[in-house]
Amino acid sequence: MMCRLTDVLPISRVAAIFAQVARVRWWIIAVYAMLVPGAVLLALRIPKDNTIDRMVVASDPAVAATREFHRIFPERPVALLLVESPHPLAATTVEGIRDLQAALDRVPKVTTYSALTVWDRMRPGGRTQPGAADALAAFVSGTRFFRDQGLVGDRFLAIVLALDVAGGAERDVALGRIDCALADTLPEVAGRAAITNVRRVGKPWLESWLERETAASTIRYFPLFAAFVLILTVRLYRSWRALAAILLSLAVAVLLGMAVGGLARFGFTIISSVVPLILMITVTASLIYLHSRFVDQAPGVPIERHRILALENKFLAVSASMFAAGVGFAALAVSDIRPIRQLGIWTSVGIAIGWVVCFTLYPALQVALRAPTRQQRAVSGAWIARLADALPGWSFRWRWVILASAAVLATGGLASLLGIPGLLAPMRMATDALEYVDENEPIARDTRAFSDTVLGLTSVDVWVRTPPGVVLQGGTLGALEAFAASLRRQPHVGSVVGLTAVLRLREYAAGRGDRWPDDPGAVSRMTADIEPLLLQEPALAEWVDLSDLGATYLTVTTRAGDPERFEGLELAIRKAWEEAARSRPMLASCSYRIVGTGVLEERINAQLVPTLTKSFALTFGIIFVTFLLVFRSGPARIIATVPSLFAILVMFLFMRLTGIGLNVATILIATTVLGATENDQIHFFYHFQDRRIGSSTEASLVHAVRVAGHAIVFATLINAGGFLALTISSLPPMRQFGILTSAAFAFAMLADFTALPAALWIVFRESPARHLPTTRGDDRIQSEGHP
């Protein structure tokens, strides 16, 4: 028979609340049961969102400028098909490529163009004339225009695919139809046209793959982690009722946490896709701490009373640990990178919801399902008592060796991250989408081959503003051509495309040479019909702001294999503008701004490290304040951070040794590890300081290990095993994030049982007694309710 509330708990306000939870358990279960269907619907509404301009907050100047630019000059996603052949301009190959291009032109929302398109427009009827193949080859090879734009190479001819799509869903449909058109046409064409391969190149292919694999990875690791928790819980507590209470609480906490994203209209990105996993791991670890204390029922204490005392005993430690994890992620809200900021807010709110579930639904299910304790069913973990007895003496004997080794490893990790002047470069930040794709994927191989031999992948738009009405005047166009010519001479520039390049191509097609004329009369003749031509040629009109004829732009792409990417382009553009301005005074009345997706990518790169450094410092500060409030011992407040900092620094050494670099996923590890591993130190020191009052360091260590050690080990296994599930992902950043986070949790646990006791011996300046009197009741909750 269930005891009355007054029989169970005449103790404290917290205990009274838990007694009330046990009493109204069915009402609590019913409330959560009503919340779950709505949470499922909200979670299913969360969209995929990897759009580059949404990676940075809307108020960012780079985003505002790029959006203003795109309002005037709309940008469509562009992909390339590199049709490879030993002789790409041979007659049979050209006809085969025409057949491919015709099939692609029939795909909805896709517009194609190539060197063949330019030839057909500028030489109407030329394809049917005698010697058409030789004439085409002479036309294409007689100018640098096609080669500079990556449209023609020694062994390929490119088909450009302009996608008239809005959003990832339409893009994926268009790419799928392109694949179908190729599958239907290429087999028949390839043989007669001597086509050896068709490479898919461009960001639409890369982004589509990233989004698809991000969603697939989430689906893959959920069942794996669930199976891991199931096996571990059954092995640890040997009770299906305990498993049901833990898994049901976990499922509800994660579902409600995911519903937060639906309510806030957040989207799944390559970064925020780990939110459900983080929630699962954090809540599972807290449930393990709670249940490990619950199963440790002291002899003679009624189960109803013990349940309330166990919850009360763990309330502060679990609350503090979840608070530390929550603020660790909440600190990411300082980031100007939208997915990181959303990750921080989403995860912190989800952890807060998990905390509520841990202290309401879990106790209710524990009572309703009659989960057993150690007295009712043996549980795993007798080894922890042996470890607790052996650890103090061992850690005291080797304390200086342990701490010296830890210091060397941590110093090596710091040097790995920041570098050593003249010896070791700092870790480089990767933001290029290509670096987030598995190198063995065909799209990665194709794109890398293009960027290493033809053109780089970093591209920006140089938005040139002129006085209204003068952008099409001969003097202005001449100054813009001088700027473009200076850009082409820069070592970091692979290609420059703009209005003057199109006009030069028209002059070349008319037989007047592939150069900008020096004679003012020739310039006047070339530009005389340009305004009417803008109305006839949409492709030409795309280069001019028709509202006031006061702006145009140039698209500048990096040279193939250039390692400096945006930095090189930015320097080249500045130098070219200054050089052109010295010879063309007209540019003094003009201005330029670098915009486009390349700028946004660089903005993300520039903001990642500073904002995450700020968030890490904020996290560390808040956690330290938490320690000030939770721990009464001054040394404990300092030493408690040692395992986490050790794990973070050694992780950077591990990254350097294994060749794993910094990217949008791995750079989150410091904050993630700090927020998550502090749980173990909070629980360890909470029980250490309780026994420390009026007792020795040795007795306090034994008690802390006996009470918290078991949960620390299994919580670490859950944390590490959960993140290790990410190693099945096809996304290199997610795979690396899983490996590194799992390793960091293991490093932190190692420090918990080595560096932490060693530091305590040195700080408290004690030595262990030869025989330590302990009792089997040291690690149990006594009938008075004290630990």
Side-chain angles (χ1 to χ4, degrees), residues 352-402:
I353 292 172
W355 175 82
V356 174
V357 170
C358 284
F359 288 109
T360 54
L361 180 60
Y362 166 70
L365 289 171
Q366 194 185 76
V367 177
L369 296 173
R370 301 195 303 276
T373 66
R374 189 191 302 270
Q375 285 190 8
Q376 299 161 313
R377 181 167 300 178
V379 298
S380 173
W383 54 270
I384 201 68
R386 296 192 294 271
L387 175 63
D389 292 336
L391 185 64
W394 178 85
S395 60
F396 175 80
R397 184 163 54 252
W398 296 99
R399 61 192 184 282
W400 292 110
V401 175
I402 292 170

Side-chain angles (χ1 to χ4, degrees), residues 223-237:
L224 184 62
F225 181 74
F228 177 77
V229 172
L230 187 150
I231 294 170
L232 184 63
T233 305
V234 171
R235 177 69 183 85
L236 177 59
Y237 300 117

Side-chain angles (χ1 to χ4, degrees), residues 91-300:
T92 54
T93 306
V94 167
E95 287 307 310
I97 295 173
R98 288 188 188 279
D99 291 343
L100 278 180
Q101 191 169 347
L104 294 167
D105 277 329
R106 292 192 289 271
V107 175
K109 297 184 179 296
V110 174
T111 302
T112 73
Y113 62 91
S114 65
L116 305 182
T117 308
V118 177
W119 165 255
D120 291 341
R121 292 294 299 274
M122 294 189 172
R123 290 284 193 276
R127 60 183 296 185
T128 61
Q129 299 297 319
D134 293 337
L136 170 63
F139 177 79
V140 171
S141 60
T143 174
R144 292 290 308 175
F145 180 87
F146 300 108
R147 198 170 285 267
D148 287 346
Q149 313 318 316
L151 296 178
V152 175
D154 293 336
R155 301 181 65 85
F156 74 87
L157 193 148
I159 300 175
V160 180
L161 308 168
L163 310 180
D164 185 17
V165 296
E170 287 190 10
R171 178 206 59 212
D172 290 346
V173 170
L175 293 179
R177 288 172 174 167
I178 289 170
D179 288 337
C180 289
L182 287 175
D184 293 340
T185 310
L186 188 58
E188 187 274 329
V189 168
R192 62 180 171 83
I195 293 174
T196 58
N197 192 18
V198 175
R199 295 187 183 273
R200 295 165 173 80
V201 176
K203 290 187 177 178
W205 305 105
L206 294 174
E207 291 171 354
S208 178
W209 186 90
L210 283 172
E211 291 179 8
R212 185 171 60 253
E213 288 302 317
T214 298
S217 296
T218 304
I219 294 171
R220 289 190 199 112
Y221 68 63
F222 256 83
L224 184 62
F225 181 74
F228 177 77
V229 172
L230 187 150
I231 294 170
L232 184 63
T233 305
V234 171
R235 177 69 183 85
L236 177 59
Y237 300 117
R238 300 172 184 175
S239 167
W240 289 103
R241 285 178 287 169
L243 174 67
I246 290 173
L247 287 186
L248 287 173
S249 300
L250 175 62
V252 171
V254 173
L255 271 176
L256 294 178
M258 295 309 296
V260 171
L263 283 173
R265 297 186 178 181
F266 292 161
F268 273 133
T269 68
I270 192 172
I271 300 173
S272 59
S273 62
V274 300
V275 169
L277 180 62
I278 293 173
L279 295 181
M280 289 173 72
I281 290 170
T282 305
V283 175
T284 303
S286 297
L287 292 171
I288 292 296
Y289 281 118
L290 291 172
H291 201 77
S292 293
R293 199 56 169 148
F294 166 73
V295 299
D296 222 3
Q297 182 184 4

Side-chain angles (χ1 to χ4, degrees), residues 32-42:
Y32 279 107
M34 289 187 291
L35 291 175
V36 164
V40 172
L41 292 176
L42 285 170

Side-chain angles (χ1 to χ4, degrees), residues 314-325 355 626-627 630 679 682:
K314 273 297 183 183
F315 177 73
L316 180 59
V318 169
S319 297
S321 64
M322 295 190 79
F323 174 78
W355 175 82
T626 304
F627 288 170
V630 174
N679 297 352
I682 287 173

Side-chain angles (χ1 to χ4, degrees), residues 50 121 155 202 206 218 259 433 438 505 559 563 619 637 656:
N50 281 309
R121 292 294 299 274
R155 301 181 65 85
L206 294 174
T218 304
D438 192 316
L505 183 62
R559 188 178 298 276
T619 301
R637 296 165 179 168
R656 179 72 74 164

Side-chain angles (χ1 to χ4, degrees), residues 550-574:
T552 185
Y553 70 97
L554 297 87
T555 298
V556 185
T557 306
T558 49
R559 188 178 298 276
D562 181 41
E564 295 192 28
R565 298 178 183 173
F566 180 83
E567 293 85 352
L569 283 185
E570 187 177 38
L571 176 63
I573 292 167
R574 184 172 66 250

Side-chain angles (χ1 to χ4, degrees), residues 401-420:
V401 175
I402 292 170
L403 291 178
S405 301
V408 169
L409 290 172
T411 302
L414 189 63
S416 297
L417 175 65
L418 303 179
I420 302 174

